[in-house]
Amino acid sequence: MNVESNALPIRKLDADDMPLLMELEAAAWAGPLRASEATIRRRLALGHTMLGAIDGDALAGTLCFTETSQDPLVRADFPTNFDAFASLPRSEPVHSLYAYNLCVRPSHRGGNTAIRLLKEMEHHGRRLGARWLIGDGRCSAYAGSSGDEDDDKVRSDPRFRTTIDRWNETGIRPPLEEIIRDPLLRLHYRVYDCEFLYVMPDFFPQDAASGGFRVISAKDLKK
C-alpha cells in the first residue's frame, strides 16, 4: 500500500462498500470502539455521508458525518452521548456537519489521509452552505492507551487529565495550550483550524483511554 497516500481517490461510500468498511473497522479500532455492520447500515439509512480514501482494494481511511439543521452552539440541544451524536437523521436546511468517525488505517497514519478526508468534508460543507463542521475528539492522553488496546499509543498526561476534570467540573474552557497537550486534539487543531466548544462526560464510555470524555471541536466555515 502507498503509505503516504498522496493521490488516493476519495469517493462517497454506500451499502455496497460494506465489506471494505467492516475490514477497516477491524484494522483501525480496538474491539470496544468498532461499529457493527448493523450500526453502519442504520447510519447509511439515516442519510449519513461516508467518504472513503481508496487504496487499491482497501480503504486507507473514512470520514463519516451527518448533515443537520442543528445549531451546535445551543448546548442544551447538543447530543449528550456518542450514540445520539452518531444517530441523527439528515435534516434540512443544512446548518452543520456532525463528524463522528475519522478512521485511518494504521499503515496510513502519519501520511495525509486524514487531512485529505477533512478537506473533502470541508468542501462538501461549503457546497451545501453549511456554517459549522463539528467533531467529537478523542482525548487519549486522559488515561493513556497501550499498543495492545489502541494503535494510537498515547501516554497518559496527568496535567491534561487535571485540565479535563476541571473543565468538566466548572464548565470553564481552559486555555488552548492546555487542551492541545493531547496529541489527537492537537492534530485536530492544526489540520482543522478549529476551536473547542465543550468537554462531554460519559460521551463514549467504551473509550477507556479518554476516560469516556470527548472534546467537541468546531470549525466556522463563514470565517
Side-chain angles (χ1 to χ4, degrees), residues 40-195:
I40 295 174
R41 288 189 183 278
R42 183 173 70 251
R43 291 169 178 167
L44 286 169
L46 289 168
H48 292 195
T49 299
M50 299 186 182
L51 302 175
I54 312 298
D55 192 354
D57 58 356
L59 289 174
T62 58
L63 180 55
C64 307
F65 56 90
T66 186
E67 302 160 7
T68 177
S69 59
Q70 280 201 359
D71 184 345
L73 301 187
V74 181
R75 175 65 186 270
D77 294 340
F78 198 83
T80 58
N81 57 59
F82 181 82
D83 285 342
F85 182 70
S87 299
L88 290 174
R90 185 186 185 281
S91 56
E92 293 185 338
V94 177
H95 185 64
S96 310
L97 305 185
Y98 282 9
Y100 55 83
N101 183 17
L102 176 58
C103 178
V104 177
R105 186 177 296 275
S107 60
H108 288 72
R109 294 173 188 172
N112 65 356
T113 300
I115 294 172
R116 293 190 63 240
L117 287 165
L118 285 165
K119 291 299 183 184
E120 183 59 33
M121 181 180 72
E122 180 176 340
H123 295 327
H124 182 84
R126 291 185 187 279
R127 287 194 297 268
L128 292 175
R131 173 70 184 268
W132 297 101
L133 304 182
I134 302 297
D136 69 309
R138 298 188 68 201
C139 49
S140 297
Y142 184 87
S145 57
S146 70
D148 293 335
E149 64 186 19
D150 195 329
D151 284 313
D152 288 325
K153 301 182 179 68
V154 177
R155 291 185 178 181
S156 175
D157 181 341
R159 180 171 159 182
F160 176 77
R161 183 174 186 138
T162 298
T163 294
I164 292 296
D165 286 341
R166 185 177 296 119
W167 190 1
N168 182 47
E169 291 167 4
T170 65
I172 300 172
R173 182 171 52 194
L176 175 64
E177 59 267 24
E178 295 299 317
I179 299 173
I180 61 175
R181 287 179 64 87
D182 180 276
L184 301 178
L185 296 179
R186 186 163 60 249
L187 174 65
H188 276 247
Y189 175 71
R190 289 178 174 174
V191 171
Y192 196 38
D193 189 27
C194 63
E195 59 183 306

